[in-house]
């Protein structure tokens, strides 16, 4: 690490936060489970395979079109556990609340956490609340951790992508990121722009009913689809080719991104998944995703190649190709949680 | 809730934070596992019993005599899992770091987390780092969640205390609380005052080797021994009688408490446990605790009575008795994390 101080970029989900993990955390907590760096940890206890994941939510603003920090905190961890191929079962909740926070706002957040947990069919079974003095935290931060059980025969991991795999995206890109960014800046766009915050575990179980030949699952949250694909390309040592024309982006989201100079490839999603699937089974899995209420706009957006391992290449709409790099620096407007 | 805003008292671990949980959280996350309100949740998956716990550490100052926020975050969750009678196995770690935080301080904290995990023989297997803008958090907050497996034949719970149980405390009281409070206020006392931050899981497994007739285990952290005993009395519907003369408090800690006007019964401990044990087995369990490196000063401090359920009574050194109530309001000096 060259920088002496922690920068906002260290929490971006991009290359610099990746470095923080590999340079500072991994050498200390040296174990093969952590070093996989999947969305969650996978391990065996008494012959059963479990997934375990944690995420802290510092989103600003805490209320936004389509949800609030509460449902985000439930869905995010449900999804991270589901991306390990597990059925999420139990969640913990750790709150940090700033002194003076409105109890009515807390109730609204807890209410959304409750209904999100119910929709995802998981139970919040343990919790902790800390209150810090005014000014020592920004309103409220929520950590959730989750445990799930991985059914026999399921084996997904970020390092499992194989040449010829088809790459599926379960719906339109960048909805959550653009919603939070525009709301934070007080910009008012098309009213139809809202967060895609949603649980993906029921979708995942539909997918596995269609085929167990799914090699990688990943929810492209912080850092967006662009960063997630780069991580998969690097860890699986494969090349990725995607087609710009096939990646769904809502018109109003594309418009806002263009106006503000954002690339939707790097904006956060909170209710979408990427799946790398054996080519023969891709259509079946796609059909299964589309049956789910949150997967109606799913598409095959690309494929795995054996050339240029570690690289993500996009065929653009105008027929050229460009390298999709990992997000390196975050624009200033991203500061604060997404 | 009468107050419209969150107060520091809501995070004290005392009566008001208890109310926040029972009034706002429990009605929403209505399930029998959560409503137990033990240090962690206990549930079955495929015929095995697991414990799952979460805690967020907001201690101020982050470095103090005897440890830092890092080892505290590991030991605290290891202990919460162990208090469910479980063998802690895997931990998650969620960091919230303030922009501008020194990387050298982060490294020091992570290093202590690593060695605490090693001492406790647990693995940190999944993590998350968020960076928030300068001023949006106070330096660093750490959440840890942990999973453990409960061996067959073990059944401890906060509601399991029975009349005639002997009450054991594994060592001296209030070390952590007084250390953090005096350090925060810049007071300089006896150099030997330091936090008792320590893992208790090895002690717990020694105890179960001596006897499985242990009914309740609890680590008296925030709110101290006084609050923990009140929670047990309430949940188990039993009375508790303790003897002031038998409760170990180090001379220098007692001195600092007297000078500053604190009651050590309500100050936090981070490496002590309370055990409620079948009377015939109490001496064996006490001997087992004393064999552990963190239990050398363990004592039997009281007993369970069948009169006055829900009440904790202390026989004072001068021969009187007083009611030990649950901590209601926290003194101003407590503001910020312990």
């Amino acid at each position: 690490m060259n920088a002496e101080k922690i920068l906002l970029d260290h929490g971006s989900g991009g290359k610099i936060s990746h470095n923080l993990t590999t340079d500072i955390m991994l050498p200390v907590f040296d174990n093969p489970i952590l070093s996989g760096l999947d969305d969650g940890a996978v391990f065996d206890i008494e012959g059963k395979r479990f997934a375990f994941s944690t995420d802290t939510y510092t989103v600003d603003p805490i209320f936004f079109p389509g949800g609030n920090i509460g449902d985000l905190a439930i869905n995010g961890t449900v999804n991270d556990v589901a991306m390990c191929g597990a059925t999420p079962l139990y969640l913990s909740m750790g709150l940090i609340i700033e002194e003076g926070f409105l109890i009515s706002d807390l109730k609204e957040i807890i209410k959304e956490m409750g209904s999100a947990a119910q929709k995802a069919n998981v139970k919040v079974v343990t919790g902790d609340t800390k209150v810090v003095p005014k000014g020592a935290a920004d309103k409220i931060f929520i950590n959730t951790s989750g445990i799930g059980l991985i059914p026999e025969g399921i084996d997904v991991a970020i390092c499992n992508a194989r040449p010829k795999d088809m790459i599926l995206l379960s719906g339109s890109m960048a909805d959550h990121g653009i919603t939070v960014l525009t709301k934070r800046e007080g910009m008012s766009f098309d009213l139809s722009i809202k967060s895609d915050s949603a649980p993906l575990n029921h979708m995942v179980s539909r997918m596995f009913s269609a085929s167990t030949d799914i090699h990688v699952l990943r929810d492209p949250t912080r850092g967006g689809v662009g960063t997630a694909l780069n991580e998969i390309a690097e860890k699986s040592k494969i090349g990725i080719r995607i087609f710009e024309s096939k990646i769904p982006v809502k018109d109003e989201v594309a418009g806002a991104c263009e106006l503000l100079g954002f690339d939707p490839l790097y904006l956060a999603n909170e209710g979408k998944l990427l799946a790398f699937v054996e080519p023969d089974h891709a259509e079946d899995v796609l059909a299964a995703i589309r049956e789910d209420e949150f997967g109606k706009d799913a598409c095959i957006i690309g494929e795995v190649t054996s050339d240029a391992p570690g690289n993500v290449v996009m065929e653009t709409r105008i027929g050229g190709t460009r390298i999709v790099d990992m997000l390196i620096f975050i624009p200033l407007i991203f500061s604060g949680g997404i």
Side-chain angles (χ1 to χ4, degrees), chain A:
Chain A
M1 309 299 306
N2 289 319
E4 277 192 281
K5 292 183 174 179
I6 291 289
L7 309 173
L8 287 170
D9 290 316
H10 282 116
S12 66
K15 197 157 196 155
I16 294 184
S17 49
H18 195 79
N19 291 349
L20 190 73
T21 309
T22 50
D23 294 352
I24 298 188
M25 317 293 182
L26 287 189
V28 172
F29 304 111
D30 183 30
N31 65 66
I33 303 170
L34 178 63
S35 56
L37 287 183
D38 260 303
D39 277 339
V42 172
F43 45 76
D44 284 25
I45 301 178
E46 307 255 327
K48 301 285 169 190
R49 289 180 77 218
F50 291 88
F52 181 32
S53 186
T54 193
D55 213 339
T56 308
Y57 299 82
T58 59
V59 64
D60 170 31
I62 54 175
F63 296 99
F64 45 80
N68 69 39
I69 190 172
D71 60 78
L72 204 64
I74 297 292
N75 289 333
T77 291
V78 161
N79 294 348
D80 283 345
V81 171
M83 294 308 114
C84 299
T87 306
L89 299 171
Y90 298 109
L91 260 57
S92 69
M93 152 180 104
L95 307 180
I96 300 173
I97 312 177
E98 184 185 13
E99 180 190 15
F101 190 71
L102 287 177
I103 289 189
S104 55
D105 282 350
L106 178 63
K107 283 185 175 167
E108 181 60 27
I109 289 166
I110 297 294
K111 198 186 90 186
E112 286 304 308
M113 292 186 83
S115 53
Q118 200 165 23
K119 264 185 223 161
N121 196 26
V122 295
K123 287 189 169 64
V124 175
V125 290
T126 186
D128 173 65
T129 303
K130 292 294 185 308
V131 180
V132 297
K134 195 150 184 70
D138 184 17
K139 298 183 278 292
I140 185 167
F141 301 140
I142 304 180
N143 176 283
T144 48
S145 303
I147 306 178
L149 186 65
I150 303 179
E152 302 243 354
I154 303 295
D155 182 23
V156 296
I158 192 171
C159 56
N160 278 2
R162 298 177 206 168
K164 297 192 176 145
D165 275 357
M166 301 303 273
I167 304 171
L168 283 58
L169 177 63
S170 66
S172 64
M173 197 167 61
D175 296 7
H176 178 76
I178 201 72
T179 303
V180 168
L181 289 172
T182 54
K183 169 89 181 166
R184 186 188 306 160
E185 300 305 312
M187 289 180 271
S188 146
F189 279 93
D190 194 315
L191 286 177
S192 60
I193 294 184
K194 59 175 192 168
S195 171
D196 58 342
S197 174
L200 298 172
N201 53 327
H202 304 308
M203 182 189 296
V204 168
S205 79
R206 285 176 192 276
M207 292 164 69
F208 283 122
S209 299
S211 168
T212 54
D213 284 324
I214 300 169
H215 303 143
V216 181
L217 288 172
R218 191 85 172 177
D219 56 338
T221 54
R222 275 187 301 174
V225 169
T227 303
L229 290 177
N230 268 281
E231 286 172 345
I232 297 164
E234 186 194 320
K235 289 282 175 188
S236 289
K237 300 182 178 62
I238 46 89
I240 287 175
R241 173 172 293 264
I242 55 174
F243 304 92
E244 188 176 19
S245 62
K246 295 189 176 168
I247 307 177
V249 183
K250 286 182 182 135
D251 287 344
E252 56 273 27
V253 171
C257 284
E258 207 172 303
L259 200 67
L260 298 168
F262 293 132
D263 185 340
L265 269 176
Y266 296 110
L267 293 190
N269 308 278
E270 292 291 344
K272 299 293 151 50
L273 61 78
L274 288 161
F276 285 57
V277 183
E278 188 81 27
D280 294 354
H281 297 241
E283 286 297 337
D284 290 349
V285 173
L286 181 65
I289 297 177
R290 285 183 175 162
E291 274 168 28
D292 189 86
E293 65 173 309
F294 304 113
K296 297 195 191 314
D297 301 323
C299 290
I300 295 177
I301 64 160
E303 65 199 8
V304 175
T305 64
S306 42
D307 45 77
N311 280 345
V312 180
V313 172
M314 181 163 78
E315 287 199 7
T316 63
R317 254 192 209 90
I318 54 168
T321 61
R322 64 171 257 224
I323 296 282
V324 176
D325 211 339
M326 203 181 241
L327 182 66
I328 298 187
F329 289 103
I330 52 172
L332 206 58
I333 195 179
F334 279 39
S335 38
I338 310 279

PDB file of all heavy atoms in Angstrom, chain A residues 124-147:
ATOM      1  N   VAL A 124     -34.565 -13.598  10.834  1.00  0.00           N
ATOM      2  CA  VAL A 124     -33.572 -12.813  11.562  1.00  0.00           C
ATOM      3  C   VAL A 124     -33.596 -13.333  12.994  1.00  0.00           C
ATOM      4  O   VAL A 124     -34.600 -13.188  13.693  1.00  0.00           O
ATOM      5  CB  VAL A 124     -33.899 -11.308  11.523  1.00  0.00           C
ATOM      6  CG1 VAL A 124     -32.925 -10.517  12.384  1.00  0.00           C
ATOM      7  CG2 VAL A 124     -33.879 -10.805  10.084  1.00  0.00           C
ATOM      8  N   VAL A 125     -32.501 -13.978  13.423  1.00  0.00           N
ATOM      9  CA  VAL A 125     -32.542 -14.714  14.685  1.00  0.00           C
ATOM     10  C   VAL A 125     -31.673 -14.118  15.785  1.00  0.00           C
ATOM     11  O   VAL A 125     -31.767 -14.527  16.947  1.00  0.00           O
ATOM     12  CB  VAL A 125     -32.146 -16.198  14.501  1.00  0.00           C
ATOM     13  CG1 VAL A 125     -33.226 -16.934  13.727  1.00  0.00           C
ATOM     14  CG2 VAL A 125     -30.786 -16.338  13.817  1.00  0.00           C
ATOM     15  N   THR A 126     -30.821 -13.166  15.450  1.00  0.00           N
ATOM     16  CA  THR A 126     -29.974 -12.584  16.488  1.00  0.00           C
ATOM     17  C   THR A 126     -29.591 -11.172  16.068  1.00  0.00           C
ATOM     18  O   THR A 126     -29.490 -10.890  14.861  1.00  0.00           O
ATOM     19  CB  THR A 126     -28.746 -13.489  16.775  1.00  0.00           C
ATOM     20  OG1 THR A 126     -28.017 -12.974  17.889  1.00  0.00           O
ATOM     21  CG2 THR A 126     -27.819 -13.602  15.581  1.00  0.00           C
ATOM     22  N   GLY A 127     -29.456 -10.291  17.039  1.00  0.00           N
ATOM     23  CA  GLY A 127     -29.179  -8.910  16.679  1.00  0.00           C
ATOM     24  C   GLY A 127     -28.433  -8.172  17.762  1.00  0.00           C
ATOM     25  O   GLY A 127     -28.264  -8.663  18.880  1.00  0.00           O
ATOM     26  N   ASP A 128     -27.986  -6.991  17.399  1.00  0.00           N
ATOM     27  CA  ASP A 128     -27.230  -6.152  18.324  1.00  0.00           C
ATOM     28  C   ASP A 128     -27.451  -4.702  17.909  1.00  0.00           C
ATOM     29  O   ASP A 128     -27.486  -4.397  16.718  1.00  0.00           O
ATOM     30  CB  ASP A 128     -25.745  -6.521  18.220  1.00  0.00           C
ATOM     31  CG  ASP A 128     -24.869  -5.580  19.017  1.00  0.00           C
ATOM     32  OD1 ASP A 128     -24.994  -5.558  20.247  1.00  0.00           O
ATOM     33  OD2 ASP A 128     -24.058  -4.849  18.406  1.00  0.00           O
ATOM     34  N   THR A 129     -27.619  -3.819  18.894  1.00  0.00           N
ATOM     35  CA  THR A 129     -27.802  -2.401  18.602  1.00  0.00           C
ATOM     36  C   THR A 129     -26.788  -1.570  19.371  1.00  0.00           C
ATOM     37  O   THR A 129     -26.684  -1.698  20.587  1.00  0.00           O
ATOM     38  CB  THR A 129     -29.221  -1.946  19.009  1.00  0.00           C
ATOM     39  OG1 THR A 129     -30.177  -2.754  18.321  1.00  0.00           O
ATOM     40  CG2 THR A 129     -29.449  -0.487  18.634  1.00  0.00           C
ATOM     41  N   LYS A 130     -26.029  -0.754  18.655  1.00  0.00           N
ATOM     42  CA  LYS A 130     -25.151   0.206  19.311  1.00  0.00           C
ATOM     43  C   LYS A 130     -25.618   1.611  18.958  1.00  0.00           C
ATOM     44  O   LYS A 130     -25.999   1.869  17.808  1.00  0.00           O
ATOM     45  CB  LYS A 130     -23.703   0.039  18.828  1.00  0.00           C
ATOM     46  CG  LYS A 130     -23.040  -1.246  19.267  1.00  0.00           C
ATOM     47  CD  LYS A 130     -22.845  -1.305  20.763  1.00  0.00           C
ATOM     48  CE  LYS A 130     -22.069  -2.516  21.245  1.00  0.00           C
ATOM     49  NZ  LYS A 130     -22.533  -3.818  20.799  1.00  0.00           N
ATOM     50  N   VAL A 131     -25.602   2.489  19.955  1.00  0.00           N
ATOM     51  CA  VAL A 131     -25.894   3.898  19.708  1.00  0.00           C
ATOM     52  C   VAL A 131     -24.609   4.673  19.938  1.00  0.00           C
ATOM     53  O   VAL A 131     -23.947   4.487  20.963  1.00  0.00           O
ATOM     54  CB  VAL A 131     -27.003   4.401  20.659  1.00  0.00           C
ATOM     55  CG1 VAL A 131     -27.283   5.881  20.391  1.00  0.00           C
ATOM     56  CG2 VAL A 131     -28.273   3.582  20.479  1.00  0.00           C
ATOM     57  N   VAL A 132     -24.222   5.500  18.966  1.00  0.00           N
ATOM     58  CA  VAL A 132     -23.000   6.299  19.118  1.00  0.00           C
ATOM     59  C   VAL A 132     -23.390   7.777  19.205  1.00  0.00           C
ATOM     60  O   VAL A 132     -24.458   8.182  18.728  1.00  0.00           O
ATOM     61  CB  VAL A 132     -21.998   6.046  17.966  1.00  0.00           C
ATOM     62  CG1 VAL A 132     -21.524   4.601  17.973  1.00  0.00           C
ATOM     63  CG2 VAL A 132     -22.594   6.412  16.621  1.00  0.00           C
ATOM     64  N   PRO A 133     -22.527   8.593  19.853  1.00  0.00           N
ATOM     65  CA  PRO A 133     -22.891  10.005  20.056  1.00  0.00           C
ATOM     66  C   PRO A 133     -23.138  10.728  18.734  1.00  0.00           C
ATOM     67  O   PRO A 133     -22.588  10.349  17.690  1.00  0.00           O
ATOM     68  CB  PRO A 133     -21.649  10.582  20.751  1.00  0.00           C
ATOM     69  CG  PRO A 133     -20.961   9.421  21.375  1.00  0.00           C
ATOM     70  CD  PRO A 133     -21.229   8.260  20.472  1.00  0.00           C
ATOM     71  N   LYS A 134     -23.953  11.764  18.794  1.00  0.00           N
ATOM     72  CA  LYS A 134     -24.271  12.556  17.605  1.00  0.00           C
ATOM     73  C   LYS A 134     -22.979  12.963  16.907  1.00  0.00           C
ATOM     74  O   LYS A 134     -22.041  13.434  17.530  1.00  0.00           O
ATOM     75  CB  LYS A 134     -25.076  13.795  18.034  1.00  0.00           C
ATOM     76  CG  LYS A 134     -25.739  14.472  16.869  1.00  0.00           C
ATOM     77  CD  LYS A 134     -27.039  15.182  17.249  1.00  0.00           C
ATOM     78  CE  LYS A 134     -27.680  15.760  15.990  1.00  0.00           C
ATOM     79  NZ  LYS A 134     -28.218  14.707  15.099  1.00  0.00           N
ATOM     80  N   GLY A 135     -22.920  12.738  15.607  1.00  0.00           N
ATOM     81  CA  GLY A 135     -21.724  13.096  14.842  1.00  0.00           C
ATOM     82  C   GLY A 135     -20.722  11.967  14.710  1.00  0.00           C
ATOM     83  O   GLY A 135     -19.795  12.047  13.911  1.00  0.00           O
ATOM     84  N   ALA A 136     -20.893  10.876  15.485  1.00  0.00           N
ATOM     85  CA  ALA A 136     -19.948   9.758  15.408  1.00  0.00           C
ATOM     86  C   ALA A 136     -20.356   8.710  14.371  1.00  0.00           C
ATOM     87  O   ALA A 136     -19.620   7.766  14.111  1.00  0.00           O
ATOM     88  CB  ALA A 136     -19.778   9.109  16.777  1.00  0.00           C
ATOM     89  N   ALA A 137     -21.542   8.875  13.779  1.00  0.00           N
ATOM     90  CA  ALA A 137     -21.961   8.014  12.666  1.00  0.00           C
ATOM     91  C   ALA A 137     -22.962   8.817  11.848  1.00  0.00           C
ATOM     92  O   ALA A 137     -23.551   9.782  12.352  1.00  0.00           O
ATOM     93  CB  ALA A 137     -22.603   6.728  13.164  1.00  0.00           C
ATOM     94  N   ASP A 138     -23.148   8.413  10.597  1.00  0.00           N
ATOM     95  CA  ASP A 138     -24.096   9.128   9.748  1.00  0.00           C
ATOM     96  C   ASP A 138     -25.441   8.404   9.773  1.00  0.00           C
ATOM     97  O   ASP A 138     -25.647   7.440   9.036  1.00  0.00           O
ATOM     98  CB  ASP A 138     -23.523   9.232   8.329  1.00  0.00           C
ATOM     99  CG  ASP A 138     -24.432  10.059   7.420  1.00  0.00           C
ATOM    100  OD1 ASP A 138     -25.292  10.796   7.949  1.00  0.00           O
ATOM    101  OD2 ASP A 138     -24.273   9.958   6.189  1.00  0.00           O
ATOM    102  N   LYS A 139     -26.318   8.801  10.658  1.00  0.00           N
ATOM    103  CA  LYS A 139     -27.678   8.281  10.809  1.00  0.00           C
ATOM    104  C   LYS A 139     -27.722   6.811  11.259  1.00  0.00           C
ATOM    105  O   LYS A 139     -27.912   6.521  12.419  1.00  0.00           O
ATOM    106  CB  LYS A 139     -28.507   8.500   9.541  1.00  0.00           C
ATOM    107  CG  LYS A 139     -28.680   9.984   9.191  1.00  0.00           C
ATOM    108  CD  LYS A 139     -29.559  10.211   7.991  1.00  0.00           C
ATOM    109  CE  LYS A 139     -28.855  10.056   6.673  1.00  0.00           C
ATOM    110  NZ  LYS A 139     -27.851  11.073   6.354  1.00  0.00           N
ATOM    111  N   ILE A 140     -27.575   5.889  10.305  1.00  0.00           N
ATOM    112  CA  ILE A 140     -27.669   4.471  10.683  1.00  0.00           C
ATOM    113  C   ILE A 140     -26.849   3.622   9.715  1.00  0.00           C
ATOM    114  O   ILE A 140     -26.824   3.889   8.512  1.00  0.00           O
ATOM    115  CB  ILE A 140     -29.152   4.003  10.716  1.00  0.00           C
ATOM    116  CG1 ILE A 140     -29.277   2.563  11.238  1.00  0.00           C
ATOM    117  CG2 ILE A 140     -29.815   4.133   9.359  1.00  0.00           C
ATOM    118  CD1 ILE A 140     -30.706   2.153  11.585  1.00  0.00           C
ATOM    119  N   PHE A 141     -26.145   2.654  10.267  1.00  0.00           N
ATOM    120  CA  PHE A 141     -25.428   1.657   9.472  1.00  0.00           C
ATOM    121  C   PHE A 141     -25.965   0.286   9.896  1.00  0.00           C
ATOM    122  O   PHE A 141     -26.232   0.061  11.074  1.00  0.00           O
ATOM    123  CB  PHE A 141     -23.920   1.689   9.747  1.00  0.00           C
ATOM    124  CG  PHE A 141     -23.242   3.011   9.471  1.00  0.00           C
ATOM    125  CD1 PHE A 141     -22.256   3.486  10.331  1.00  0.00           C
ATOM    126  CD2 PHE A 141     -23.557   3.763   8.348  1.00  0.00           C
ATOM    127  CE1 PHE A 141     -21.606   4.700  10.080  1.00  0.00           C
ATOM    128  CE2 PHE A 141     -22.906   4.972   8.086  1.00  0.00           C
ATOM    129  CZ  PHE A 141     -21.933   5.446   8.954  1.00  0.00           C
ATOM    130  N   ILE A 142     -26.097  -0.611   8.947  1.00  0.00           N
ATOM    131  CA  ILE A 142     -26.629  -1.943   9.271  1.00  0.00           C
ATOM    132  C   ILE A 142     -25.707  -3.025   8.731  1.00  0.00           C
ATOM    133  O   ILE A 142     -25.366  -3.027   7.547  1.00  0.00           O
ATOM    134  CB  ILE A 142     -28.037  -2.156   8.666  1.00  0.00           C
ATOM    135  CG1 ILE A 142     -28.992  -1.049   9.140  1.00  0.00           C
ATOM    136  CG2 ILE A 142     -28.581  -3.536   9.025  1.00  0.00           C
ATOM    137  CD1 ILE A 142     -30.408  -1.177   8.583  1.00  0.00           C
ATOM    138  N   ASN A 143     -25.305  -3.921   9.608  1.00  0.00           N
ATOM    139  CA  ASN A 143     -24.615  -5.122   9.153  1.00  0.00           C
ATOM    140  C   ASN A 143     -25.586  -6.291   9.218  1.00  0.00           C
ATOM    141  O   ASN A 143     -26.336  -6.435  10.183  1.00  0.00           O
ATOM    142  CB  ASN A 143     -23.399  -5.437  10.038  1.00  0.00           C
ATOM    143  CG  ASN A 143     -22.732  -6.747   9.643  1.00  0.00           C
ATOM    144  OD1 ASN A 143     -23.214  -7.829   9.961  1.00  0.00           O
ATOM    145  ND2 ASN A 143     -21.644  -6.656   8.906  1.00  0.00           N
ATOM    146  N   THR A 144     -25.582  -7.100   8.163  1.00  0.00           N
ATOM    147  CA  THR A 144     -26.286  -8.380   8.242  1.00  0.00           C
ATOM    148  C   THR A 144     -25.306  -9.479   7.864  1.00  0.00           C
ATOM    149  O   THR A 144     -24.443  -9.290   7.010  1.00  0.00           O
ATOM    150  CB  THR A 144     -27.500  -8.454   7.296  1.00  0.00           C
ATOM    151  OG1 THR A 144     -27.102  -8.007   6.002  1.00  0.00           O
ATOM    152  CG2 THR A 144     -28.657  -7.583   7.787  1.00  0.00           C
ATOM    153  N   SER A 145     -25.419 -10.600   8.545  1.00  0.00           N
ATOM    154  CA  SER A 145     -24.654 -11.782   8.181  1.00  0.00           C
ATOM    155  C   SER A 145     -25.666 -12.892   8.002  1.00  0.00           C
ATOM    156  O   SER A 145     -26.727 -12.864   8.633  1.00  0.00           O
ATOM    157  CB  SER A 145     -23.648 -12.140   9.275  1.00  0.00           C
ATOM    158  OG  SER A 145     -22.783 -11.050   9.518  1.00  0.00           O
ATOM    159  N   GLY A 146     -25.345 -13.850   7.152  1.00  0.00           N
ATOM    160  CA  GLY A 146     -26.324 -14.891   6.860  1.00  0.00           C
ATOM    161  C   GLY A 146     -25.697 -16.254   6.683  1.00  0.00           C
ATOM    162  O   GLY A 146     -24.545 -16.373   6.252  1.00  0.00           O
ATOM    163  N   ILE A 147     -26.470 -17.265   7.046  1.00  0.00           N
ATOM    164  CA  ILE A 147     -26.050 -18.654   6.917  1.00  0.00           C
ATOM    165  C   ILE A 147     -27.017 -19.393   6.018  1.00  0.00           C
ATOM    166  O   ILE A 147     -28.231 -19.215   6.136  1.00  0.00           O
ATOM    167  CB  ILE A 147     -26.087 -19.384   8.273  1.00  0.00           C
ATOM    168  CG1 ILE A 147     -25.284 -18.633   9.312  1.00  0.00           C
ATOM    169  CG2 ILE A 147     -25.565 -20.801   8.134  1.00  0.00           C
ATOM    170  CD1 ILE A 147     -25.357 -19.303  10.668  1.00  0.00           C
TER     171      ILE A 147
END
